[in-house]
Amino acid sequence: MYDLSSIIIKDNPVILGIESSCDETAAAVIRGRKLLSSKIISSATEQAKFGGVVPEIASRAHTEAVDEVVRQAVEEAGLTLKDIDAVAVTYGAGLLGALLVGLSFAKSLAYTLNVPLIAVNHIRGHMAAAYLVDEELKPPFITLLASGGHTAILHTKTYTDFEILGGTSDDAAGEAFDKVARVLGLSYPGGVNVERLALNGENSVPLPKCQVKNTQVLQFSYSGLKTAVINYCHNKEQKGEEVDKENVACSFQHAAVDPLVKNAVALALKLGVKTVTAGGGVIANGYLRATLEEECKKAGLKLILPEKKYCTDNAAMIAAEGLIQYKAGNFAPLSINARAQIPLK
């Protein structure tokens, strides 16, 4: 019988994190804020054959991999399933079929072990990755969030409360990178290939910055920037002129990244916050990381930047957010369902 009435909240619980929102089947184990293991089985190579993620293929891959990846993570941590104090799992946002695989497995495991099930918002997982970088990190701090589905600057006031200071009014940064990659004829995943192409280019193509001007609330727009890249390339082609793809990639990268970094640093200074963190797949971009490091250093701000492998989808960040929710006693019922979309707040 599933009964949590006698559960005692521990200071440094062992939490198993499970992530299956897209094309990565991942599991990780933490003890407190110490990361003990992190394993990923990816179907990205298979998805690349189709130019992007095919939900049915992703779901099937998760079904085949989830048991194995959890076994690997627990074994690498030097533990057994009996040592697990809670199971944290992504319940949204993401591909519904893919989410259901991880969530169903986590429910079964939590029930069998009679430990709390913690339902994690994938995006909050990205935000929590910074806690594993610096075990002494405490709010308040400014977070630059840039992923495939969300782009925002946040003021994290407490472990469970944050304010959205600015966000995108349409596409997210990660979406824009992928769409521009397709325009330039680059393969999936688009973001990393745009970055590689940009390394040999110059910021010489006139493109609009992603920040929306003259609005009361800080807003970014990637739809217009994406369209500007498409129009530039099409105009060149119609005139029979060669498109310098390296310069386009470099210029797009500057236009997409610079306003995010500038505003994150400016807001930290404005609010008197001394620390900046970052999370989300786009934070793996080398130009963004270097620019953010440089601007924080100039401003005298402390920067907590997760390793690239913990910016893209992984289970360590899910476990980290799971720890926050565990400490707050926010446990999920076994009846909880997966959700394709979840508001950031």
Side-chain angles (χ1 to χ4, degrees):
M1 182 176 179
Y2 190 61
D3 181 12
L4 302 181
S5 60
S6 61
I7 293 293
I8 299 174
I9 301 298
K10 298 181 179 180
D11 290 333
N12 293 295
V14 174
I15 296 181
L16 169 67
I18 299 174
E19 154 64 17
S20 68
S21 64
C22 193
D23 58 353
E24 314 281 14
T25 314
V29 179
I30 62 174
R31 178 182 281 113
R33 286 199 193 177
K34 183 176 179 58
L35 181 61
L36 302 181
S37 67
S38 180
K39 306 297 290 185
I40 295 176
I41 297 177
S42 177
S43 64
T45 301
E46 185 67 22
Q47 308 291 349
K49 298 176 183 178
F50 304 94
V53 179
V54 179
E56 291 82 0
I57 293 175
S59 299
R60 190 180 306 122
H62 288 309
T63 302
E64 295 171 350
V66 64
D67 182 68
E68 175 62 17
V69 79
V70 167
R71 184 194 67 76
Q72 290 180 11
V74 174
E75 184 177 279
E76 185 177 274
L79 303 173
T80 68
L81 287 175
K82 292 181 180 179
D83 297 311
I84 303 299
D85 294 310
V87 179
V89 61
T90 305
Y91 81 105
L95 302 174
L96 195 57
L99 289 165
L100 283 169
V101 175
L103 182 59
S104 298
F105 187 92
K107 286 181 180 181
S108 300
L109 195 55
Y111 179 84
T112 302
L113 299 175
N114 198 45
V115 298
L117 175 71
I118 303 170
V120 174
N121 181 328
H122 179 83
I123 301 303
R124 293 202 183 195
H126 279 303
M127 294 167 59
Y131 288 116
L132 298 178
V133 179
D134 183 350
E135 294 186 25
E136 301 302 318
L137 175 64
K138 297 178 181 179
F141 48 81
I142 295 295
T143 298
L144 172 56
L145 173 66
S147 70
H150 287 80
T151 300
I153 299 176
L154 313 153
H155 181 199
T156 299
K157 298 180 177 180
T158 70
Y159 289 106
T160 57
D161 181 43
F162 62 88
E163 178 185 2
I164 301 173
L165 303 177
T168 177
S169 57
D170 39 60
D171 289 355
E175 289 177 284
F177 269 91
D178 285 338
K179 290 174 180 176
V180 167
R182 286 196 287 271
V183 173
L184 297 177
L186 303 176
S187 60
Y188 173 86
V192 66
N193 289 316
V194 169
E195 180 185 353
R196 287 171 183 159
L197 195 63
L199 289 174
N200 296 316
E202 297 179 354
N203 183 20
S204 59
V205 178
L207 294 174
K209 298 292 185 182
C210 67
Q211 184 175 348
V212 180
K213 296 183 178 179
N214 302 320
T215 56
Q216 292 183 340
V217 180
L218 177 61
Q219 288 186 352
F220 304 101
S221 171
Y222 285 93
S223 179
L225 175 57
K226 170 203 66 180
T227 301
V229 172
I230 294 173
N231 290 340
Y232 176 84
C233 292
H234 284 180
N235 288 338
K236 283 283 188 180
E237 292 167 357
Q238 289 172 354
K239 294 177 182 178
E241 299 175 0
E242 184 178 353
V243 176
D244 191 322
K245 294 183 178 181
E246 293 177 342
N247 287 349
V248 172
C250 182
S251 301
F252 163 75
Q253 192 168 250
H254 276 266
V257 167
D258 291 349
L260 295 180
V261 172
K262 175 184 175 183
N263 281 283
V265 172
L267 285 168
L269 294 174
K270 179 181 178 181
L271 296 174
V273 177
K274 302 299 183 182
T275 303
V276 173
T277 71
V282 180
I283 305 300
N285 179 275
Y287 172 71
L288 186 153
R289 296 171 73 86
T291 305
L292 187 57
E293 286 176 343
E294 180 181 352
E295 293 304 314
C296 284
K297 185 176 181 180
K298 287 180 182 178
L301 299 172
K302 181 179 180 180
L303 175 63
I304 305 299
L305 199 57
E307 292 181 51
K308 290 185 179 183
K309 62 183 177 181
Y310 298 125
C311 293
T312 52
D313 290 352
N314 67 89
M317 68 182 195
I318 301 304
E321 175 62 17
L323 175 62
I324 292 173
Q325 299 304 325
Y326 173 91
K327 291 288 186 70
N330 293 330
F331 304 144
L334 295 181
S335 59
I336 190 170
N337 205 351
R339 294 177 59 185
Q341 294 182 332
I342 303 178
L344 184 55
K345 188 173 183 179

